Amino acid sequence: MSKSVVIVESPSKARTISKYLGRDYIVRASMGHVRDLPVKKLGIDIDNDFKPEYVTIKGKGKFIDEIKKSAKTAKKIYLAPDPDREGEAIAWHIAEELNGNSDKIYRVLFNEITETAIKRAMEHPERLDLKKVNAQQARRILDRIVGYMLSPLLWEKVRRGLSAGRVQSVAVRLICERESAITSFVTEEYWSITARLEGKLPPPFEAKLFKKGDEEIEIGNGAAAAEVVKILEGRSFIVKNIEKKEKRRNPVPPFITSRLQQEAAQKLRFSPKKTMLLAQQLYEGIEIGDEGPV
């Protein structure tokens, strides 16, 4: 009886999923991407709608040959890389290598590596999401174009060995513009006056002076502030109006990768690399005694 093939990204994830799915499935790990743009040339036909040239990544040829061989006798092929743009692209590249067996290729999404989630995903397979694939391709192509076009300029004008990228080049510009704004900023002295008041009923509260009649007050130095305080001393203060407002506070949204890294750095002093390693371990499962990955 032929078995179905499931392809995931990491070996540890493959072991866990294999345990849950049983003997009717062969689970293989791609170890990330199997195809990419060539290393030593641009690999993009800019004059032909930015068509990319993909080549097999060094060391992945054996895996592709094994998958092609398994696909010939497999009942079904389930592509199960991570449920994001990169994962969708990995699944698409593998499907392209297996183009002769496209009628039995499916995409499954594991949002958590638990027995229930895995079996539910296998019961509801999908097709590849080409919108995600194209989003990843656009990002990869833009990375390559920016890197190949700008990096040589940096070597010539700044220092050899520097690299430019789709994200960091824009970030460096934003930093430079902000630094320029900071250095050109002209400081102005500004004073504010706050009175601590208390009525018949607690609690005491603070009131800040911001208007005289309909005219907003700007206090530019200590002498002017002292003059205003002198005028206000001994005066009676009356609460003219009380406003009550109802505010809606929404729950904090789930972490995105950057916010997770920021919080881990601020609260736990973790490096981004350590944070992502721990997140990946939790996602794939951690070995717990005789139970295996959990």
Side-chain angles (χ1 to χ4, degrees), residues 29 51 84 103 106 122 195 220 236:
K51 184 178 179 180
D84 55 17
D103 58 322
Y106 296 90
M122 296 297 290
S236 298

Side-chain angles (χ1 to χ4, degrees), residues 10 12-13 16 20 82 110-114 118 255 260 264 268 270 274-288 292-294:
S10 73
S12 59
K13 194 184 298 182
T16 305
Y20 292 145
D82 293 345
F110 301 146
N111 291 304
E112 57 183 57
I113 307 302
T114 61
I118 288 166
F255 278 127
L260 173 65
L268 304 172
F270 286 175
K274 181 174 181 179
T275 301
M276 297 314 297
L277 178 63
L278 292 171
Q280 186 70 20
Q281 286 177 340
L282 288 171
Y283 175 65
E284 293 177 0
I286 296 174
E287 296 284 344
I288 301 179
V294 175

